[in-house]
């Protein structure tokens, strides 16, 4: 069992890096998009909010695998040809953005209305009100659900193997194809995913503790 | 008195079918302390919120030193841009019933934020002025405290320092002692008295009748969105003409005794 795992390790390095790359790109892309769209949803006019709301609800309602296949097999029909890697990243990012929009909106609207008014009363512009008053407080409500969603992204990235991207999951499959020993390899895969997500959880708890100290209320 | 700093004409505000402000006319002269009294729901707080452009209104005009506050012109119905509104609000201080301090900032940073960001002061200068005003309201030893580490009275004094440090042309005070324990009311009102003595122009909504009597220059009684009575405190409070004001004052006195 252990020997099978040790034998497999060198073959998994490349796939592991791809998993990290997919997760990292998805987390970064969905964070940027989600922050902008979530803020627009929280403060923007109805004509702006409605399409964002529709997008967020749709992205979250579709099974991730359906979204990945739609982007990978569907877009070429529209003349957009993405490599498996970028198709998978795009699909996962759309999916995650739906979640981040909701987390951002929730965090912002949880801040008491009086904070915005006090910030207006000292003459801060909209951007400064967000920068100095709303976001520093909202980040504390944002972090716990967001870190959850980051670990979700890492787990969800395993689905990219289904469109032929050689990530950690695919690399494991390939080794199994040679050794016919699925159990030790899947176990090893589970351990690696757990290790990544456990370290994320530890980081998140540290961050939360830090922000809780800063925003004692 | 001199020409008005604040001039309100025909101010009308509706929430749905309810008329909260029904054609209010009001002037506040430079250096004047104008006290607004009235039962809850009479429109006092909404009046202040209209003046600071926190809520839109339906008709009428509000000018600060001759400049229309919320809209590009009286009756234009076109709201000013956020940037223009911010510039006008910077000259109007507001102290809130629930303090609304920024919980993530120390007392010093609560006061310094507007000075740095809105007024564009250098950090050292902003901090020096913040510390000056915190000392003025008796909090020299609480500068580094977060709002959560301060009593209600101390928090409200930070709130006053935050508003006054901006050197506003007009200070709005919205029931600033209503959320305080009775024994903390005095320390906050003392600060307001000091500001009045220095000539700060104030529009103040309060239920503290004794304060209105001895610190107010003029009292306005609001009822159902209109100004029902107005005059010097001694007259309005000592000699109420309308039945409604008499009843209101009796209720307030019962509460405070």
């Amino acid at each position: 069992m252990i020997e099978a795992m040790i034998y497999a390790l060198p073959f998994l390095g490349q796939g592991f890096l791809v998993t990290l790359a997919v997760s990292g790109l998805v987390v970064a892309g969905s964070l940027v998009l989600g922050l902008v769209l979530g803020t627009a949803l929280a403060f923007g006019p109805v004509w702006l909010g409605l399409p964002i709301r529709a997008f967020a609800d749709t992205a979250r309602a579709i099974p991730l695998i359906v979204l990945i296949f739609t982007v990978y097999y569907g877009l070429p029909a529209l003349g957009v040809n993405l490599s498996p890697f970028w198709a998978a990243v795009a699909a996962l990012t759309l999916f995650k953005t739906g979640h981040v929009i909701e987390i951002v909106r929730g965090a912002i609207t949880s801040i008491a209305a009086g904070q915005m008014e006090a910030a207006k009363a000292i003459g801060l512009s909209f951007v400064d009100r967000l920068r100095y008053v709303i976001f520093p407080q909202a980040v504390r409500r944002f972090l716990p659900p967001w870190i959850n969603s980051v670990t979700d992204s890492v787990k969800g990235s395993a689905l990219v193997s289904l469109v032929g991207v050689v990530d950690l999951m695919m690399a494991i499959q390939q080794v199994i194809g040679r050794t016919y020993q699925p159990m030790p390899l899947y176990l090893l895969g589970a351990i690696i995913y757990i290790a990544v997500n456990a370290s994320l959880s530890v980081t998140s708890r540290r961050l939360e503790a830090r922000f809780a100290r800063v925003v004692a209320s | 008195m001199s020409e008005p700093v604040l001039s309100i004409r025909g101010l009308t505000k509706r929430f749905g079918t309810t008329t909260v402000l029904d054609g209010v006319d009001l002037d506040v002269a430079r250096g004047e302390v104008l006290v607004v009294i009235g039962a809850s729901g009479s429109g006092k707080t909404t009046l202040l919120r209209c003046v600071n452009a926190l809520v839109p209104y339906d008709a009428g005009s509000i000018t600060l030193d001759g400049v229309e506050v919320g809209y590009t012109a009286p009756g234009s119905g076109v709201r000013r841009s956020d940037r223009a509104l911010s510039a006008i609000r910077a000259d109007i201080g507001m102290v809130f019933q629930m303090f609304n301090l920024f919980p993530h900032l120390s007392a010093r940073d609560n006061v310094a934020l507007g000075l740095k960001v809105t007024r564009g002061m250098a950090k050292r200068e902003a901090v020096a002025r913040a510390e000056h005003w915190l000392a003025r309201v008796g909090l020299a030893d609480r500068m580094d405290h977060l709002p959560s580490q301060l009593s209600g009275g101390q928090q409200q004094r930070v709130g006053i320092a935050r508003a006054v440090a901006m050197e506003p042309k007009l200070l709005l005070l919205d029931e600033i002692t209503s959320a305080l324990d009775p024994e903390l009311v005095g320390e906050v009102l003392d600060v307001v008295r000091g500001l009045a003595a220095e000539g700060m122009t104030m529009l103040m909504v309060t239920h503290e009748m004794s304060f209105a009597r001895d610190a107010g220059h003029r009292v306005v009684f609001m009822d159902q969105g209109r100004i029902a009575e107005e005059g010097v405190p001694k007259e309005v409070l000592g000699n109420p003409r309308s039945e409604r004001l008499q009843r209101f004052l009796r209720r307030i006195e019962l509460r405070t005794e």
Side-chain angles (χ1 to χ4, degrees):
Chain A
M1 187 89 152
I2 302 290
E3 304 89 85
M5 288 184 178
I6 293 170
Y7 162 81
L9 267 179
F11 300 105
L12 302 184
Q14 196 65 34
F16 179 62
L17 290 181
V18 170
T19 288
L20 289 186
V22 170
S23 308
L25 286 167
V26 168
V27 167
S30 63
L31 179 61
V32 172
L33 286 172
L35 273 177
V36 173
L37 295 175
T39 305
L41 181 59
F43 295 114
V46 178
W47 60 263
L48 189 60
L50 274 182
I52 295 174
R53 169 95 278 157
F55 167 76
D57 288 350
T58 310
R60 289 184 302 157
I62 299 173
L64 185 44
I65 188 67
V66 175
L67 207 55
I68 292 175
F69 282 164
T70 306
V71 171
Y72 183 59
Y73 294 112
L75 283 189
L78 302 172
V80 182
N81 276 297
L82 293 177
S83 68
F85 179 85
W86 287 109
V89 166
L92 278 167
T93 302
L94 285 180
F95 182 74
K96 268 298 121 186
T97 300
H99 290 259
V100 178
I101 287 172
E102 201 45 53
I103 298 171
V104 168
R105 189 202 58 82
I108 288 174
T109 51
S110 74
I111 306 301
Q115 290 294 306
M116 197 57 154
E117 292 183 352
K120 283 180 177 175
I122 54 170
L124 297 187
S125 67
F126 178 69
V127 172
D128 287 335
R129 296 199 287 273
L130 295 185
R131 180 173 162 197
Y132 294 105
V133 176
I134 302 299
F135 283 166
Q137 297 182 62
V139 70
R140 193 178 148 213
R141 325 264 170 123
F142 171 80
L143 273 180
W146 181 69
I147 301 271
N148 263 340
S149 117
V150 169
T151 58
D152 256 6
S153 300
V154 176
K155 290 185 284 179
S157 75
L159 289 172
V160 306
S161 59
L162 293 175
V163 291
V165 177
V166 187
D167 71 331
L168 178 61
M169 190 62 209
M170 186 62 132
I172 288 170
Q173 302 278 35
Q174 287 173 344
V175 176
I176 293 173
R178 288 201 298 276
T179 63
Y180 299 103
Q181 283 187 296
M183 201 48 193
L185 265 292
Y186 285 138
L187 217 64
L188 177 60
I191 290 168
I192 296 174
Y193 280 112
I194 290 170
V196 171
N197 281 338
S199 55
L200 282 171
S201 297
V202 171
T203 314
S204 81
R205 242 165 297 180
R206 287 225 181 107
L207 275 175
E208 273 173 62
R210 216 189 102 202
F211 279 104
R213 261 205 313 281
V214 174
V215 193
S217 60
Chain B
M1 290 214 191
S2 61
E3 66 177 84
V5 175
L6 179 73
S7 192
I8 301 173
R9 289 291 172 275
L11 180 63
T12 302
K13 166 76 183 169
R14 298 183 201 93
F15 287 120
T17 53
T18 317
T19 302
V20 187
L21 295 173
D22 190 5
V24 172
D25 296 323
L26 193 64
D27 284 334
V28 183
R30 205 171 300 283
E32 186 178 28
V33 177
L34 179 63
V35 176
V36 181
I37 61 173
S40 77
S42 60
K44 311 164 304 227
T45 292
T46 305
L47 176 70
L48 293 199
R49 293 166 60 80
C50 284
V51 170
N52 211 7
L54 292 177
V55 290
Y57 45 88
D58 297 287
S61 153
I62 300 174
T63 57
L64 180 75
D65 269 345
V67 176
E68 187 70 22
V69 169
Y71 299 87
T72 52
S76 74
V78 180
R79 200 83 174 138
R80 281 187 190 279
S81 69
D82 180 67
R83 183 177 291 265
L85 287 178
S86 298
I88 292 170
R89 289 192 193 112
D91 287 334
I92 305 175
M94 184 148 186
V95 186
F96 298 87
Q97 181 176 6
M98 302 306 297
F99 326 138
N100 294 356
L101 295 184
F102 306 127
H104 58 300
L105 300 179
S106 67
R108 180 191 291 107
D109 289 340
N110 260 278
V111 181
L113 181 62
L115 301 174
K116 275 187 286 197
V117 179
T118 306
R119 293 283 187 234
M121 288 168 69
K123 192 178 173 202
R124 263 185 46 197
E125 203 187 341
V127 166
R129 197 196 283 188
E131 292 182 346
H132 164 80
W133 277 105
L134 284 171
R136 262 294 308 275
V137 301
L139 295 173
D141 56 344
R142 292 286 186 276
M143 313 246 194
D144 290 314
H145 286 53
L146 290 171
S148 56
Q149 300 165 320
L150 298 172
S151 74
Q154 291 169 336
Q155 288 190 54
Q156 194 56 296
R157 283 184 279 152
V158 175
I160 294 171
R162 177 173 70 179
V164 176
M166 299 287 289
E167 297 183 341
K169 294 171 179 168
L170 169 70
L171 187 62
L172 307 172
L173 304 132
D174 184 15
E175 299 197 33
I176 62 168
T177 56
S178 302
L180 295 178
D181 291 338
E183 77 269 20
L184 301 178
V185 169
E187 64 186 62
V188 172
L189 291 182
D190 284 344
V191 170
V192 179
R193 268 194 199 93
L195 294 172
E198 283 175 20
M200 174 67 74
T201 310
M202 292 192 255
L203 180 55
M204 178 174 190
V205 171
T206 187
H207 290 299
E208 300 293 333
M209 292 306 146
S210 60
F211 179 86
R213 217 180 314 252
D214 60 47
H217 296 140
R218 198 152 55 102
V219 172
V220 159
F221 171 60
M222 284 191 71
D223 186 40
Q224 297 180 319
R226 286 182 208 167
I227 292 178
E229 288 193 39
E230 120 174 56
V232 292
K234 217 168 62 180
E235 273 300 305
V236 174
L237 301 176
N239 214 349
R241 290 193 303 269
S242 67
E243 167 76 16
R244 296 188 76 101
L245 178 54
Q246 287 165 14
R247 221 177 328 140
F248 173 74
L249 292 175
R250 267 203 304 277
R251 272 208 312 271
I252 292 279
E253 244 132 74
L254 281 177
R255 198 199 60 179
T256 46
E257 273 157 25

